[in-house]
Amino acid sequence: MHTGQLLGSGRTADVYALDGSWVLRRYRDRTDTTEELAVMSYVGAFGFPVPRIGPPAADARPTDLVLQRLTGPTLAEALLAGRLGTAEAGALLARLLRELHGIPPRVSANPEDSVLNLELHPENVMLTEGGAVVIDWSTAAEGPPGLDRAMSALTLARTALGPRSPAGAAVRPLLTALLGEIAEDGGASPADLALARARQRANPYLTDRERDCLDGAVDLVIGCAP
């Protein structure tokens, strides 16, 4: 499949321009995007903000996703540039989690389960003219909402503890703001945090340094909780 300019690269995928309307996200080691597409279509049908899904090319790989080309900074970029405050960003993340968890499960028979993103953090939220859009659904699953809240909080805490993170100092007040906002939804319990820590520790894309700070990140989340 012909690709254009490389727009960005993450831990698992590269994003290329196709034209003014569409981008190609190509995973480097995933074999199938069927489940991700299904989740995006499902939550999008409930009005949750996800990129529109484009038509696959005839020669597309199983690891390819054609998605709407969005314009605007990520939430992380807006925070670093001072375009958004930590209180507003924390409220936005909490709202997105709350709205997502209000969607009934797609496949689970447990009515207490919800759709979970499990990677809802500032780098995966784009701020467009039409509002915030959650751009990455590769880790989506279904389960207790507390796990999703704990994953977001633990990711922020891990970033705050990262010695080489340019956003580290700004992330700690964002974590505090997020925890204050999600407290009314049930927050992130010790059990939720234990599950989130185990899940992140098993993530093959984390560095050894990131894994080593997970225990400290859990302590930071507990210490910042209201």
Side-chain angles (χ1 to χ4, degrees):
M1 183 177 183
H2 176 73
T3 60
Q5 176 188 3
L6 177 66
L7 298 177
S9 294
R11 292 179 191 255
T12 62
D14 303 305
V15 178
Y16 300 90
L18 292 179
D19 54 35
S21 300
W22 304 103
V23 298
L24 172 74
R25 181 186 295 158
R26 173 165 290 166
Y27 289 100
R28 293 187 289 274
D29 56 2
R30 281 173 58 90
T31 58
D32 195 345
T33 58
T34 302
E35 184 64 16
E36 184 173 1
L37 286 169
V39 173
M40 291 177 67
S41 296
Y42 180 74
V43 300
F46 282 86
F48 194 83
V50 297
R52 295 197 315 274
I53 299 169
D59 58 346
R61 304 176 187 177
T63 54
D64 289 351
L65 280 175
V66 176
L67 300 172
Q68 175 188 8
R69 185 168 184 172
L70 301 171
T71 301
T74 64
L75 180 55
E77 290 168 340
L79 279 164
L80 285 172
R83 297 172 58 179
L84 203 68
T86 54
E88 188 178 356
L92 173 58
L93 288 174
R95 176 177 64 78
L96 290 169
L97 286 165
R98 191 176 301 122
E99 291 178 358
L100 178 61
H101 300 158
I103 298 174
R106 181 175 65 93
V107 295
S108 173
N110 186 344
E112 296 185 1
D113 283 347
S114 297
V115 180
L116 312 178
N117 178 273
L118 299 176
E119 284 285 353
L120 211 166
H121 55 73
E123 291 183 350
N124 283 339
V125 177
M126 284 192 70
L127 305 179
T128 73
E129 288 187 356
V133 179
V134 181
I135 59 175
D136 189 346
W137 294 85
S138 59
T139 59
E142 294 183 3
L147 173 59
D148 214 4
R149 295 191 293 266
M151 287 289 285
S152 292
L154 192 59
T155 298
L156 290 179
R158 202 184 69 228
T159 303
L161 295 175
R164 298 180 182 176
S165 171
V171 169
R172 195 174 294 242
L174 172 58
L175 171 64
T176 300
L178 173 65
L179 291 170
E181 291 284 345
I182 65 175
E184 63 186 69
D185 303 318
S189 72
D192 295 328
L193 286 167
L195 288 173
R197 174 174 52 193
R199 188 179 183 94
Q200 293 201 15
R201 184 163 281 145
N203 183 345
Y205 302 107
L206 291 192
T207 66
D208 290 340
R209 185 184 293 272
E210 287 172 321
R211 287 193 191 87
D212 289 343
C213 75
L214 280 171
D215 289 343
V218 170
D219 291 341
L220 180 58
V221 172
I222 294 172
C224 290

